[in-house]
Amino acid sequence: MKAYFSNRSTDDAQNKINGSLSASYQWFLQTPERAIEQAYKAVLRIKSIEEEHFGGNKISADSVDYGENVIDYWQDQLAKNLNNAKLRLAEYKASRLVISTANPVILEKLAFIDEVLAKYEFDKSISKALVPFSNAVQLVEQKLAEDESYPENNKVDGISDKTGVFPRSIGRTISRIKTELNPKSEEEVVKKFRNSSRKTKTAMRFVIILIIVPVLTQQVSKQFLVSPLVERFRGESEVPIFINSEMKEEALRELQSFEEELKFDSLIKGSPQIAPEVMEERVREKAKEIAEEFQHKSRDAIGNIFADLLGIGAFATVIVTNQKGIIALKSFIDDIVYGLSDSAKAFIIILFTDVFVGFHSPHGWEVVLEGLANHLGIAANKSAISLFIATVPVFLDTVFKYWIFRYLSRISPSAVATLRNMNE
C-alpha cells in the first residue's frame, strides 16, 4: 500500500514537472510574437497621443502651444513607450537567432513600428523637445558666426570656403534682414525663450536631485538601517575594539598623555603625590572612556562603508533613469562654457590644473586620501598614498595637455594663446 502511494506521488510530481517544462517551452517559442506584440502596443500608444493631443504631428513642444508641465508629461510618456518598444525589438531580434517564425502579421507590425520610430530615431526633435537649445545660440546665431570662440567657426576652411564670389558677411547680413522682416519672428523668439527657460529649469532640477538624493540616501540608510545592524552585530559577537592599527596607536597615545598629565598637574600644584592605587583607578576609568569612544568610531566607520555604497547606488540610479536631465545639464554647461570669454576659459583651466596637478596639489591629495581612509576606517598607508600621488596627478596632467592640444586649440585658439601667456 505504501509503495502504491509512493509511486503515485512520484508520478504526480513528474507530471507537474513535465507540465511546467512544456509550458515554459511553449512560452519560449512564443517569444518573437510576444515581443513584437508588446512593441506594437507601445508605438500604438505613441500614435494615439500624436492623434489626440498633437494633431497627428510628432510629440514636440513645437507642434502645439501647451504649457511646460503638460509638455513634460507627454515627453515622459513618449520616452517610456519608446524605451519599451526598443527593448521589445531587441528581445525579438535576440529570439530570432534561435526561433524562426514566418507569420506575415509580424511583417505588418514591424513596418508600422519602424514608421513610428523613424520619426524619433535619427531626428533630434526628441532631445530638442526634452531639452531645447539655448536662447543665446538660437537667437543670435549670426553673431555667434562671427565669434572666434564658437566651435563651429573654428573649422579648417576648404578652398571653396576661402574663394567665394561674394564675402560671406553679405550672406549673413541678408539672412539677418530676412529674419527681422519675418512677421513670425517675434512668435519664434518667444517660443525659443520658453524652450530655453524649460531647459534651464530641467538642468537645475537635475543638479539638485543629483546632489540631494545620494546624500539623503547615505544619511538616512546609515542612521536607520546600517548603524543599528552594525551595532547589533558588534554587540552580540566578540569583536575587537579597534579595526585598524592606527586607531589602537591613537588610543594608546591618548591614554599615555592622560597619565602624564596627571603626574604633571601633581608636580606643578605641589599637592601630595597621587597614590598608585588612585592613579591606576583614574587611568582605568579613562581607558574605559577611550574604549567606548573608539568602539563608536569603529561602528561609525563600518557603517560609512555600507551607507556610502547605497549612496553611490542611488547616484547611479539617478544617472541611469534620468537621461533627459543629463542631456539638459550637458547642453546647459556647453552654453555656459561657450559663453565665457577667452580669458575666463584660460583662468578656469589654470585654476583646475593647479588644484589637481599643480606644484602644491600633492598636499591636497594627501589630505583627501587620509580623510577618506579615516572615513572608511582604513589605515592610511603612506606608501600607497605616495604611489597614488606619483601616478594619478601625472596621468591627469597628461590628459589636460592632450585635451588642450587636441580639442581646445580647434574650439578656441585664442583661449590657448591666452593660456600660454598666463602660464608664462
Side-chain angles (χ1 to χ4, degrees):
M1 190 71 175
K2 292 181 179 180
Y4 169 74
F5 283 108
S6 176
N7 293 333
R8 184 175 181 181
S9 61
T10 302
D11 294 339
D12 292 340
Q14 186 175 1
N15 291 333
K16 290 181 180 179
I17 293 174
N18 292 334
S20 300
L21 293 176
S22 178
S24 301
Y25 182 68
Q26 292 297 327
W27 180 87
F28 177 72
L29 290 179
Q30 296 173 357
T31 299
E33 297 180 0
R34 184 178 61 256
I36 288 298
E37 183 64 26
Q38 292 175 351
Y40 181 71
K41 290 180 179 179
V43 296
L44 275 181
R45 287 191 289 268
I46 296 175
K47 192 68 175 178
S48 176
I49 294 173
E50 292 177 349
E51 296 293 340
E52 295 179 7
H53 303 281
F54 291 85
N57 299 319
K58 292 189 299 184
I59 301 175
S60 172
D62 298 331
S63 301
V64 291
D65 193 17
Y66 286 148
E68 176 184 350
N69 295 327
V70 176
I71 291 295
D72 289 341
Y73 173 79
W74 291 123
Q75 291 294 344
D76 291 338
Q77 295 296 318
L78 170 64
K80 182 172 66 175
N81 286 295
L82 282 177
N83 290 334
N84 188 15
K86 291 178 181 178
L87 287 175
R88 298 310 171 191
L89 282 177
E91 181 182 357
Y92 166 75
K93 293 178 181 178
S95 63
R96 282 291 305 276
L97 297 176
V98 293
I99 303 173
S100 59
T101 179
N103 191 346
V105 179
I106 291 181
L107 297 178
E108 298 179 2
K109 293 181 178 180
L110 279 173
F112 180 73
I113 292 171
D114 291 339
E115 179 184 354
V116 176
L117 294 183
K119 296 180 181 180
Y120 306 97
E121 186 67 25
F122 300 105
D123 192 359
K124 297 299 183 180
S125 58
I126 300 178
S127 59
K128 182 179 179 181
L130 292 174
V131 188
F133 291 113
S134 69
N135 187 32
V137 174
Q138 290 186 329
L139 296 181
V140 292
E141 184 178 3
Q142 292 80 11
K143 293 183 180 180
L144 287 175
E146 301 173 359
D147 188 0
E148 294 181 356
S149 63
Y150 194 64
E152 293 183 357
N153 305 306
N154 288 279
K155 299 177 182 177
V156 178
D157 294 335
I159 298 177
S160 60
D161 296 328
K162 296 180 179 179
T163 59
V165 179
F166 298 102
R168 286 176 293 177
S169 59
I170 295 179
R172 290 196 296 266
T173 302
I174 294 175
S175 299
R176 181 173 57 83
I177 294 175
K178 288 181 179 180
T179 303
E180 293 175 352
L181 294 178
N182 186 2
K184 295 183 179 180
S185 59
E186 184 177 354
E187 180 181 351
E188 293 177 357
V189 168
V190 174
K191 182 181 293 186
K192 292 173 182 178
F193 176 77
R194 290 177 179 175
N195 291 341
S196 175
S197 176
R198 187 182 302 117
K199 181 203 67 174
T200 303
K201 292 178 181 178
T202 302
M204 292 296 100
R205 184 166 55 246
F206 176 71
V207 170
I208 294 173
I209 293 174
L210 199 62
I211 295 174
I212 291 179
V213 170
V215 173
L216 284 180
T217 301
Q218 197 270 350
Q219 293 294 326
V220 172
S221 62
K222 180 181 176 181
Q223 294 296 329
F224 299 100
L225 177 63
V226 178
S227 292
L229 291 177
V230 173
E231 187 173 356
R232 180 179 178 182
F233 173 77
R234 289 179 65 86
E236 293 178 354
S237 58
E238 294 292 335
V239 293
I241 299 175
F242 311 104
I243 59 176
N244 60 59
S245 58
E246 286 191 355
M247 282 189 175
K248 186 176 182 179
E249 293 175 359
E250 184 181 353
L252 293 176
R253 286 195 301 267
E254 187 173 348
L255 184 62
Q256 184 180 1
S257 176
F258 174 77
E259 186 176 359
E260 293 175 352
E261 184 179 356
L262 289 177
K263 294 179 180 180
F264 181 79
D265 291 340
S266 176
L267 294 173
I268 291 298
K269 295 178 181 178
S271 57
Q273 187 175 3
I274 301 176
E277 295 81 5
V278 177
M279 176 71 73
E280 184 178 357
E281 182 64 25
R282 291 186 180 181
V283 172
R284 184 181 296 110
E285 292 177 358
K286 184 63 176 179
K288 290 181 180 179
E289 293 179 3
I290 294 175
E292 292 178 358
E293 178 184 353
F294 278 89
Q295 278 182 341
H296 176 73
K297 287 185 178 180
S298 299
R299 289 196 300 265
D300 194 57
I302 296 173
N304 286 335
I305 296 175
F306 295 100
D308 290 348
L309 290 176
L310 293 176
I312 294 173
F315 181 84
T317 302
V318 173
I319 293 293
V320 172
T321 59
N322 200 338
Q323 297 297 321
K324 181 174 70 173
I326 295 176
I327 299 173
L329 182 60
K330 182 180 180 300
S331 177
F332 181 73
I333 293 175
D334 289 342
D335 293 342
I336 293 178
V337 172
Y338 292 142
L340 294 174
S341 64
D342 296 333
S343 300
K345 292 176 185 177
F347 171 78
I348 293 175
I349 292 173
I350 291 176
L351 177 63
F352 274 91
T353 52
D354 285 350
V355 168
F356 293 103
V357 298
F359 177 74
H360 299 287
S361 62
H363 304 290
W365 284 110
E366 288 180 1
V367 173
V368 171
L369 294 175
E370 289 178 359
L372 180 62
N374 293 331
H375 177 76
L376 301 177
I378 303 172
N381 192 322
K382 299 297 182 181
S383 299
I385 292 177
S386 299
L387 179 62
F388 181 91
I389 294 174
T391 55
V392 174
V394 175
F395 174 77
L396 292 178
D397 184 44
T398 305
V399 171
F400 271 120
K401 291 179 179 178
Y402 177 77
W403 176 77
I404 292 172
F405 171 76
R406 183 71 175 83
Y407 298 102
L408 188 62
S409 59
R410 293 190 305 169
I411 294 175
S412 182
S414 55
V416 176
T418 305
L419 180 63
R420 291 175 180 172
N421 293 332
M422 292 179 68
N423 282 327
E424 294 175 357

